[in-house]
Amino acid sequence: MSVIEVVWMVAKILIVFVVLLLAMAYLTLVERRFVAWFQWRIGPNRVGPLGLIQPIADGVKLLFKQELIPAKADKFVYFLAPAISLIAAFAIISVIPITEHFYIADVNVAILLVLAISSLGTYGIIFAGWSSGSKYPLVSGLRACAQMISYELALGFAVIGVVLMAGTFSLREIVLGQEHIWYFIPQILGFIVFLIAGVAEANRAPFDMPECENELVAGYHTEYSAMKFAMFYLGEYVAVINVGMLATVLFLGGWHGPAIFGAGLIGLSNLFWFILKTCAVIFFFIWIRATLPRFRYDQLMRFGWMVLLPLALLNIIITAGIRAFIQ
Amino acid sequence: MSTAVDERLQSALGGLAERAYVDAAGEPVAVVPPANLREAVKVLKASPDTYCDYLSFASAQDMIPRVPRFDGIYQLYSIKHHHWFRLRVPVSDGEALPSLADIHKGADWHERETYDLFGIPYDGHPDLRRILLTDNWHGHPLRKEYDHQFEPVWAPGTNVLQNVAEEGMAGHEAAGEDPAKTIVLNLGPQHPATHGVMRLAVELDGENIVGCVPHIGYLHTGIEKLSEHHNWTQNITHYARMDYLSPMNNELAYCLAVEKLLGVEVPKRAQYIRVLMSELTRIISHLVWLGTHAMDIGALTVFLYCFAEREKILEMYEAIGGQRMMTSYIRIGGVQDDMPESFPGMVEAWEKTFDSQLSIYHGLLTKNPIWRQRTMGIGVMDRDTSLSYGLSGPLARAVGIDWDLRRDNPYSSFEEFEFDIPVEQTGDVYARYLVRMEELRQSRRIVLQALKKIAETEPGTYVAEDYKLAPVPRDGINASIEELIHHFKYWTDGIWVPSGEAYGFIEASKGELGYFVVSDGTAHPQRVKIRGPSFSNLSAFPEMIKGHLIADVIATIGSIDIVLGEVDR
């Protein structure tokens, strides 16, 4: 590996990291504005033109807030939890191909890596719940634990359909395989299961059990303040972006534009399509958050095990059957 | 009617009552010695003539310097015959009254309240603790001689905050073998879903609820005590602050009670304006209920839609009475001021869009599978338990009790209006939701009828033409010496109400809201007992959530539609 390659790699990591961080910050603003419009409100528009400086103001505020640590907290785990949450969320981006040539790493078991790392993120929530030394976070940690196990399974099985179609675990090659037909058409069942499980994976309404403001006050981060709270917050929004990007890569054809537009300008239009699709998925997340009530914890579990998992399994059987038949 | 009821009372009670009489509103009252109380209540409940299956409230009155000092007061009602009975039970200081908690479960909290505020103990009560005040409180505030300025409110050396942590299940923990198996979680006093400051000590096994003890009183403002210190008119201002989501309903019930004592005829126009405002009030109260209930279950958007809609009615409030929440608009003998000419236009503009608004709410919730999963089969009450706890309003109608005071004991000319009363049978959170949603539509119907009826009456007749009750108009003061005297007396003394007792009740948005007022012939009430529907409704809460999950606690609280200002008073 030459020096230039190393520099380019570091540069790519930096670019992706900074862009993701900014995207996350502005996602909070976008979400607030969109939800406000759904609810006939205006939303934050005071700080800067159109409220564009709001995320920065929020960040500065959180940075300078006083840190409060509960006396009964298990200090080491308490500090570890937000870090795990954040690092796990950011690590996933490393294997996601943004365009054909722009990605940090093309791993031949990328999907497995993604699933593994996103499971790690759950530990952040569980640790936070256990270590806070408080009852609401404890209940929340237990909920998160159960929810993650059941939805991770459905998520994983939903992806297997895609893997069967593409015949590879590498995300880049999966996108390359979608040049003619995006996988959400043959894999519509898998796509639906993936989206629903993705919402649950990102802990968002209507699956925001672990947080569940109206029941558990603030769930696992009840006892967190200032920057440690912000880290959970960051992790959560990055997870939303991750699910959006994964849905794009796995089901929506990644950087490929719709066939009617032709190939177009190779580099930039690829980036454009990737971002557009990711935003569309994220918008869908915001939309259902503004529309649906929250599940109850046991109903959520039942839904995961009794509906999503069988559907995902059915999808695998059908896909595998068709593959076998064609070959 | 009153004489017939009186005879029935006499024949049912027989020798159990010392004597019986009829109060200012023509309702029968029987004086029963403590030893006969339980028997009398049982007889009244069982006898087919009286059939008093519903205990509205149990309270007391300090009759000092009379001996025996207190009167226990029990207000009974028959859901079948729609008539009221009151029992007065003389009891001396320190002597105990027999508890009715096993006959009417709702008596549990009412007796605790009476014990708390009067210091009357109850024999055979399952859990006689203070309820509105904290356990460390000194004295009993509703006793006439109580004066906090001469007595320390807290016992010396009390750690006030410790109370919250230690009260917990208050000795109600499940008697399981393994105490480590459950944890006690305090939901509240500051919790996003308790709708104010209430604390639920919930004993959890995992997320399953083993036991629940509600602790209330955090918003206790001593309104009943204050009422004894302010004059009859001034009191109206307290009551808007009680159930702050439906201020005009509170005022209306109180004014009806005082008007019964005064025997005053309220002009038709004022009655219709009262109907109009009380139905608009029901709508804003239900809108806040729907919004917060939906928000608790996670549908945040409905909350904001409802508040946007409520805003339109608050603007009408502002147009008619000058205030958005603490209105003091409904006054003794009528209302504060005539309806402005622009008002019907405002109402019509609002009602045109209200139906489409309702269909938006329905579209977001009624058929939504998540909403149905969250509400169906949750917090179920059956008819008998519900009656026994004294549940009223939408909660009662959700278990199939077809009872609405507007129809069954009409006040303020409600008998002239046409409306349907929705009744559901299942008694779960979803049934309560459906009942209230339908009531929103029915209220809109009544509002439109009221507008028509108001238009037929003569403008300016908004209050009884009796300057002992209502302020003299400005030009009248300059015209005659007599009216100047009236003006002076009204604003210095207030109204003098002839001695007697009366119970004023309305079908408020949350249930039966009643004011039991006693006058000793002066400018101040001797006793005002407020029967807030939320208080009784909340007392059934532990029963409702038995065997449910934490998430159901939230859904069930939302469905009861409590306002802590009214629970704690």
Side-chain angles (χ1 to χ4, degrees):
Chain A
M1 200 183 259
S2 71
V3 177
I4 294 175
E5 274 176 337
V6 171
V7 170
W8 174 226
M9 178 58 83
V10 171
K12 273 198 290 193
I13 292 173
L14 274 180
I15 290 169
V16 169
F17 181 73
V18 170
V19 168
L20 194 62
L21 211 57
L22 271 178
M24 173 267 144
Y26 278 90
L27 178 57
T28 62
L29 179 69
V30 166
E31 167 155 40
R32 286 167 71 182
R33 289 305 289 262
F34 269 124
V35 169
W37 285 333
F38 280 121
Q39 297 173 341
W40 302 343
R41 296 185 285 122
I42 296 167
N45 68 344
R46 296 286 105 178
V47 190
L50 297 173
L52 281 177
I53 310 192
Q54 182 73 44
I56 295 162
D58 286 345
V60 170
K61 182 196 78 176
L62 284 168
L63 209 56
F64 286 101
K65 277 229 161 183
Q66 189 190 358
E67 293 261 1
L68 292 169
I69 300 164
K72 288 186 180 167
D74 181 339
K75 296 279 177 337
F76 176 69
V77 185
Y78 180 81
F79 281 107
L80 190 64
I84 292 179
S85 205
L86 189 67
I87 291 167
F90 272 106
I92 289 177
I93 186 71
S94 61
V95 292
I96 288 178
I98 291 158
T99 70
E100 192 174 352
H101 304 293
F102 187 80
Y103 49 84
I104 295 176
D106 180 16
V107 187
N108 59 0
V109 287
I111 289 184
L112 295 183
L113 192 72
V114 166
L115 290 177
I117 295 175
S118 72
S119 310
L120 269 183
T122 313
Y123 281 99
I125 295 179
I126 298 171
F127 283 173
W130 276 102
S131 66
S132 289
S134 168
K135 286 171 187 167
Y136 286 113
L138 179 67
V139 174
S140 159
L142 291 173
R143 280 183 174 192
C145 197
Q147 178 177 335
M148 293 301 159
I149 290 169
S150 40
Y151 279 80
E152 208 112 276
L153 221 54
L155 194 80
F157 279 126
V159 170
I160 286 182
V162 172
V163 175
L164 282 173
M165 294 278 298
T168 171
F169 275 112
S170 156
L171 287 173
R172 183 164 167 271
E173 280 165 36
I174 286 175
V175 178
L176 285 173
Q178 298 182 62
E179 197 168 351
H180 301 298
I181 184 160
W182 298 354
Y183 286 156
F184 84 92
I185 299 167
Q187 288 288 316
I188 184 71
L189 206 56
F191 181 56
I192 292 168
V193 173
F194 180 86
L195 268 191
I196 297 174
V199 177
E201 186 68 18
N203 282 332
R204 288 186 52 93
F207 300 100
D208 54 346
M209 284 314 104
E211 244 170 283
C212 200
E213 187 203 325
N214 304 89
E215 290 159 33
L216 301 181
V217 187
Y220 57 91
H221 53 53
T222 304
E223 304 292 351
Y224 281 87
S225 55
M227 211 49 210
K228 286 202 287 299
F229 166 74
M231 280 161 86
F232 278 120
Y233 207 67
L234 270 166
E236 189 183 312
Y237 275 90
V238 173
V240 172
I241 297 174
N242 283 339
V243 176
M245 290 194 297
L246 278 174
T248 306
V249 168
L250 292 171
F251 293 96
L252 298 176
W255 61 78
H256 296 300
I260 43 165
F261 292 104
L265 294 165
I266 294 305
L268 277 184
S269 80
N270 281 351
L271 188 65
F272 169 76
W273 288 118
F274 182 85
I275 292 173
L276 185 73
K277 289 169 186 173
T278 307
C279 288
V281 177
I282 292 171
F283 176 76
F284 170 75
F285 279 20
I286 297 173
W287 186 12
I288 60 166
R289 180 189 156 183
T291 311
L292 292 181
R294 183 183 295 116
F295 271 99
R296 201 176 68 195
Y297 165 68
D298 60 322
Q299 291 164 352
L300 174 100
M301 300 296 287
R302 201 177 309 134
F303 185 67
W305 288 100
M306 310 287 277
V307 180
L308 284 187
L309 194 62
L311 274 182
L313 285 171
L314 184 71
N315 182 50
I316 293 173
I317 292 167
I318 293 173
T319 316
I322 291 173
R323 285 285 296 187
F325 184 72
I326 289 170
Q327 284 167 1
Chain B
M1 176 192 154
S2 63
T3 48
V5 176
D6 199 23
E7 276 162 23
R8 282 193 222 164
L9 177 71
Q10 292 282 14
S11 66
L13 283 180
L16 291 172
E18 276 172 12
R19 64 193 176 87
Y21 60 96
V22 175
D23 77 357
E27 279 153 15
V29 188
V31 181
V32 178
N36 293 350
L37 172 65
R38 284 177 59 85
E39 193 53 36
V41 171
K42 276 183 193 159
V43 164
L44 285 173
K45 194 177 176 185
S47 156
D49 277 349
T50 49
Y51 205 73
C52 289
D53 44 358
Y54 174 87
L55 176 74
S56 173
F57 67 81
S59 185
Q61 184 189 347
D62 189 353
M63 312 286 275
I64 199 165
R66 192 194 75 173
V67 178
R69 178 172 170 176
F70 297 109
D71 254 0
I73 293 164
Y74 298 85
Q75 180 83 7
L76 296 159
Y77 182 76
S78 169
I79 301 284
K80 195 169 150 200
H81 299 304
H82 309 305
H83 53 217
W84 301 95
F85 282 129
R86 194 174 311 125
L87 297 179
R88 276 180 171 272
V89 187
V91 60
S92 48
D93 198 358
E95 198 188 333
L97 280 171
S99 169
L100 300 182
D102 53 335
I103 306 173
H104 292 282
K105 285 183 185 162
D108 182 339
W109 276 29
H110 285 285
E111 283 169 359
R112 276 177 67 190
E113 184 192 309
T114 314
Y115 162 73
D116 189 358
L117 301 180
F118 285 96
I120 302 175
Y122 284 87
D123 268 346
H125 191 284
D127 180 26
L128 198 61
R129 288 178 290 126
R130 284 184 184 265
I131 185 164
L132 296 178
L133 307 175
T134 153
D135 289 349
N136 300 325
W137 201 270
H138 249 324
H140 303 281
L142 280 184
R143 288 175 174 232
K144 288 287 177 193
E145 84 278 4
Y146 178 85
D147 190 339
H148 68 92
Q149 295 194 359
F150 297 107
E151 246 181 293
V153 161
W154 300 94
T158 311
N159 179 356
V160 181
L161 289 176
Q162 201 174 7
N163 205 28
V164 174
E166 286 179 355
E167 245 180 359
M169 298 297 290
H172 283 262
E173 294 89 348
E177 316 83 59
D178 186 7
K181 210 180 161 206
T182 60
I183 58 168
V184 175
L185 183 69
N186 268 319
L187 284 160
Q190 274 85 35
H191 185 279
T194 51
H195 295 224
V197 277
M198 171 178 66
R199 183 159 62 89
L200 295 167
V202 198
E203 194 180 1
L204 294 175
D205 176 7
E207 286 213 20
N208 297 302
I209 288 154
V210 185
C212 169
V213 178
H215 295 278
I216 62 169
Y218 293 93
L219 211 56
H220 181 60
T221 42
I223 284 180
E224 288 176 13
K225 183 73 175 174
L226 277 171
S227 301
E228 292 170 14
H229 287 265
H230 290 109
N231 73 33
W232 293 93
T233 317
Q234 286 170 331
N235 276 338
I236 294 173
T237 55
H238 299 311
Y239 305 138
R241 283 154 178 80
M242 205 177 71
D243 177 354
Y244 41 80
L245 297 177
S246 53
M248 290 215 196
N249 272 342
N250 301 317
E251 294 161 9
L252 176 59
Y254 170 72
C255 290
L256 286 173
V258 180
E259 282 155 11
K260 280 177 183 170
L261 281 179
L262 287 162
V264 61
E265 178 76 21
V266 179
K268 274 288 178 193
R269 187 179 176 84
Q271 293 195 15
Y272 295 145
I273 294 179
R274 285 175 171 191
V275 168
L276 171 72
M277 294 319 289
S278 113
E279 290 310 307
L280 286 175
T281 305
R282 188 182 317 279
I283 291 172
I284 55 172
S285 171
H286 278 5
L287 282 174
V288 174
W289 155 77
L290 177 63
T292 50
H293 185 34
M295 182 174 69
D296 286 347
I297 300 187
L300 186 67
T301 304
V302 180
F303 172 74
L304 286 139
Y305 288 179
C306 287
F307 267 68
E309 194 61 19
R310 172 175 181 255
E311 191 63 25
K312 296 177 192 162
I313 297 179
L314 287 186
E315 270 163 26
M316 292 179 211
Y317 260 45
E318 207 174 342
I320 202 167
Q323 289 283 329
R324 286 159 55 87
M325 279 179 84
M326 306 310 161
T327 47
S328 305
Y329 176 67
I330 290 165
R331 299 286 171 87
I332 296 164
V335 293
Q336 171 207 332
D337 206 343
D338 205 0
M339 191 176 78
E341 274 173 29
S342 63
F343 197 76
M346 289 178 85
V347 177
E348 275 153 19
W350 158 79
E351 67 89 10
K352 278 196 188 79
T353 57
F354 186 58
D355 257 356
S356 65
Q357 278 296 321
L358 274 180
S359 59
I360 291 177
Y361 310 149
H362 275 297
L364 279 167
L365 300 175
T366 309
K367 294 239 166 70
N368 186 323
I370 303 180
W371 178 262
R372 288 162 79 105
Q373 274 189 29
R374 287 296 307 273
T375 55
M376 281 178 159
I378 307 298
V380 182
M381 291 290 276
D382 62 59
R383 194 192 144 94
D384 289 341
T385 329
S386 163
L387 265 181
S388 174
Y389 273 107
L391 298 198
S392 52
L395 270 77
R397 289 192 280 278
V399 293
I401 299 173
D402 187 7
W403 170 46
D404 190 313
L405 287 167
R406 288 175 294 174
R407 180 196 60 196
D408 299 331
N409 301 66
Y411 52 88
S412 206
S413 296
F414 256 111
E415 65 275 11
E416 297 169 21
F417 291 83
E418 242 179 67
F419 55 96
D420 299 325
I421 292 156
V423 178
E424 293 286 331
Q425 303 297 331
T426 45
D428 56 6
V429 173
Y430 190 66
R432 290 169 205 150
Y433 162 80
L434 289 180
V435 166
R436 291 203 180 91
M437 290 301 274
E438 182 57 26
E439 280 186 15
L440 282 171
R441 273 196 39 206
Q442 297 299 333
S443 289
R444 173 176 163 272
R445 264 178 83 187
I446 301 175
V447 164
L448 292 181
Q449 294 172 38
L451 272 186
K452 269 206 202 91
K453 285 187 194 291
I454 292 170
E456 288 162 11
T457 57
E458 194 185 331
T461 55
Y462 58 88
V463 70
E465 289 255 348
D466 181 346
Y467 295 137
K468 286 193 169 63
L469 306 180
V472 185
R474 184 70 230 177
D475 44 349
I477 302 169
N478 300 338
S480 82
I481 182 70
E482 216 159 80
E483 297 193 348
L484 182 65
I485 294 171
H486 274 312
H487 171 83
F488 179 72
K489 289 296 279 183
Y490 180 84
W491 290 110
T492 50
D493 273 10
I495 302 168
W496 287 63
V497 174
S499 53
E501 60 184 88
Y503 185 60
F505 52 85
I506 65 162
E507 183 72 32
S509 47
K510 295 169 180 67
E512 177 217 339
L513 171 65
Y515 283 74
F516 172 66
V517 293
V518 184
S519 172
D520 50 5
T522 61
H524 306 269
Q526 205 271 349
R527 167 95 173 101
V528 178
K529 158 69 194 171
I530 304 160
R531 193 271 182 202
S534 300
F535 183 79
S536 291
N537 292 354
L538 183 63
S539 73
F541 180 73
E543 189 83 26
M544 286 183 200
I545 58 148
K546 258 182 201 158
H548 283 312
L549 301 169
I550 300 184
D552 299 329
V553 171
I554 311 306
T556 312
I557 298 179
S559 78
I560 301 177
D561 188 17
I562 45 166
V563 166
L564 268 302
E566 184 186 84
V567 174
D568 298 342
R569 295 176 311 263

